[in-house]
Amino acid sequence: MAKMRKSYIVMILTAALSAVLVLVAMRVAKKDGAGGAGRRGGTTFSVRTATLETTTLHDYVATNGEVEPQSAVEVFPDMAGRVASVEVQLGSPVTAGQIIAYVDPNEPGARYVHNPVYAPIGGTIVTTPLKVGTKVSTNSVITTIGDIRNLQVTANIPERFVSLLRTGLRANVMLESYPDVTFTARVSRVSPVVDALSRTKEIILTFDRNDARINAGMFAKVILYTVDYSGTVVMPLDSLVTKDDRYYAYVVQADGTVQRREVRLGKTVDAVAQILDGLAEGETVVVEGQTALSDGAKVRDITQGGGEKSGGAQ
C-alpha cells in the first residue's frame, strides 16, 4: 500500500513539472516571436553613403626611370698617350671649344707637343675626368659633358603596354630625395623598337618646368597616364555586393530605405569601377555597411558631414 502511494505521488509531481515546463516554453517562444518580428520590421542599419558623380578614371602604368641630361657627349682625345694635365673637374661649367685636358703623346725616342682635348659642346662636366698619368687611346673617354639645366627621365615600359604609348602622354615623377613632391612631365620621345632582352620599350619624359631640386643621376618613380575612361558614374568595388557573378548596389530612397539594384561594370582603375548601367548621377548609394542589408532595409546615414562624393579619380 505504501509502495502504491509513493508511486502515485511521483506521478503527480512529474505531471506538475511537465506542465510548468510547457508554460515556460510557451512564454519563451512568445517572447522570441515578438522580438523576431521587431527585428524584421524595426531594425535600422547604420551606413555610410556617397552621392554619385560622373567621373573620369585615369588608367596608368607604374615604372621606374633615371634622370639624365637631355644632351650629353663623351669626350675623346685626338691622339693616344698619357693624360698630362686636366683643366676641369666634376661639376665644372664649360663652353664649346674650351680646353679640358692635355694628352702627352710622347714615346721613347720621340718628342711631341702636348695635344689639347677640346669640349665639343657647352655644358657641365658630369663624370669625373681621368687622372693625370692615365694611359689613353683615341677610344678612351676623358670625361662626359652634359646639359644639366635641361633634364629628362628615361624609363622602360613593358611590351604589353606598347600599344598605348605616344608622345604627349602626361606623367607624374617622384624622386626619393623629395618623397612628398610630385614633378610633372610629358612623353617627348618613344623608341621605335622593343628591346629583345627586356621586352620593354624605352620612352623619354621631359619635365614641364626646370627645377633645381632635380639632379642628373637620380632614381625616379614614374606614373605614366595612358587612357582616360570618362562619361559614367563610378563606385569603389568593395561598396558593391556580389551574388551569382552579378554586382549589386544599394540605393538610398527618400523614405530612408534602400533598394537593391543590379549594376553593369565597365573599366576598373585602383579598385574603382565604372558603372555602365543601373545607377545615375545624383543618386545616393551605400558605400559602407552594405553587407548587412537586404532590399527594403531601413538605414541611418552616419556619413560625417552628411555625404561624401564617390570616386578615387578626377
Side-chain angles (χ1 to χ4, degrees):
M1 189 73 177
K3 187 174 182 180
M4 291 179 61
R5 183 177 298 175
K6 185 176 180 180
S7 299
Y8 181 71
I9 293 173
V10 170
M11 292 175 61
I12 293 175
L13 291 175
T14 300
L17 180 59
S18 298
V20 170
L21 292 175
V22 170
L23 290 173
V24 170
M26 291 176 62
R27 182 171 297 181
V28 170
K30 183 177 180 181
K31 183 177 180 181
D32 285 349
R39 285 193 296 272
R40 288 192 299 270
T43 298
T44 299
F45 297 92
S46 296
V47 299
R48 296 186 188 277
T49 66
T51 302
L52 296 175
E53 290 182 331
T54 299
T55 305
T56 299
L57 296 181
H58 306 290
D59 209 352
Y60 62 88
V61 177
T63 187
N64 298 323
E66 185 175 345
V67 180
E68 301 173 337
Q70 288 188 21
S71 58
V73 176
E74 294 177 330
V75 183
F76 300 90
D78 293 330
M79 299 182 67
R82 294 184 182 275
V83 177
S85 67
V86 177
E87 308 300 316
V88 295
Q89 59 185 354
L90 181 64
S92 296
V94 296
T95 57
Q98 178 179 334
I99 295 176
I100 62 175
Y102 286 95
V103 172
D104 180 3
N106 289 330
E107 298 178 357
R111 187 170 183 81
Y112 300 94
V113 176
H114 288 179
N115 183 257
V117 179
Y118 298 99
I121 64 170
T124 303
I125 302 298
V126 296
T127 61
T128 303
L130 295 180
K131 294 181 180 180
V132 173
T134 304
K135 188 174 182 179
V136 295
S137 69
T138 54
N139 294 322
S140 302
V141 178
I142 299 293
T143 188
T144 302
I145 300 173
D147 180 7
I148 63 173
R149 294 172 301 176
N150 297 293
L151 300 174
Q152 64 187 26
V153 176
T154 302
N156 294 307
I157 305 300
E159 183 178 0
R160 64 182 179 276
F161 300 115
V162 162
S163 63
L164 304 175
L165 298 179
R166 66 182 187 276
T167 58
L169 291 178
R170 62 188 182 88
N172 287 339
V173 179
M174 285 71 70
L175 306 174
E176 289 190 347
S177 301
Y178 306 98
D180 298 325
V181 180
T182 298
F183 302 91
T184 57
R186 292 187 181 272
V187 176
S188 57
R189 283 178 285 168
V190 179
S191 172
V193 298
V194 172
D195 184 90
L197 296 178
S198 65
R199 312 311 307 178
T200 61
K201 177 171 279 197
E202 184 179 86
I203 62 170
I204 303 297
L205 300 160
T206 304
F207 289 101
D208 290 341
R209 54 184 291 270
N210 293 333
D211 194 308
R213 293 173 293 183
I214 306 173
N215 295 168
M218 282 184 166
F219 175 79
K221 295 181 179 179
V222 178
I223 300 296
L224 177 66
Y225 293 101
T226 54
V227 183
D228 287 346
Y229 305 116
S230 59
T232 69
V233 297
V234 302
M235 280 188 69
L237 279 176
D238 60 7
S239 297
L240 301 170
V241 295
T242 58
K243 183 178 181 181
D244 299 329
D245 295 327
R246 296 183 178 182
Y247 290 88
Y248 299 89
Y250 284 99
V251 182
V252 180
Q253 306 298 297
D255 61 358
T257 62
V258 292
Q259 178 188 54
R260 193 180 77 165
R261 198 178 297 173
E262 184 177 353
V263 298
R264 183 166 61 92
L265 304 187
K267 299 294 184 178
T268 300
V269 178
D270 286 342
V272 176
Q274 287 184 302
I275 306 299
L276 301 181
D277 191 31
L279 297 174
E281 185 174 24
E283 290 188 300
T284 300
V285 294
V286 176
V287 294
E288 288 185 25
Q290 70 279 4
T291 56
L293 301 179
S294 59
D295 193 28
K298 189 174 182 180
V299 297
R300 179 171 65 92
D301 188 1
I302 60 171
T303 305
Q304 185 175 1
E308 296 177 345
K309 301 300 181 184
S310 66
Q314 299 176 354

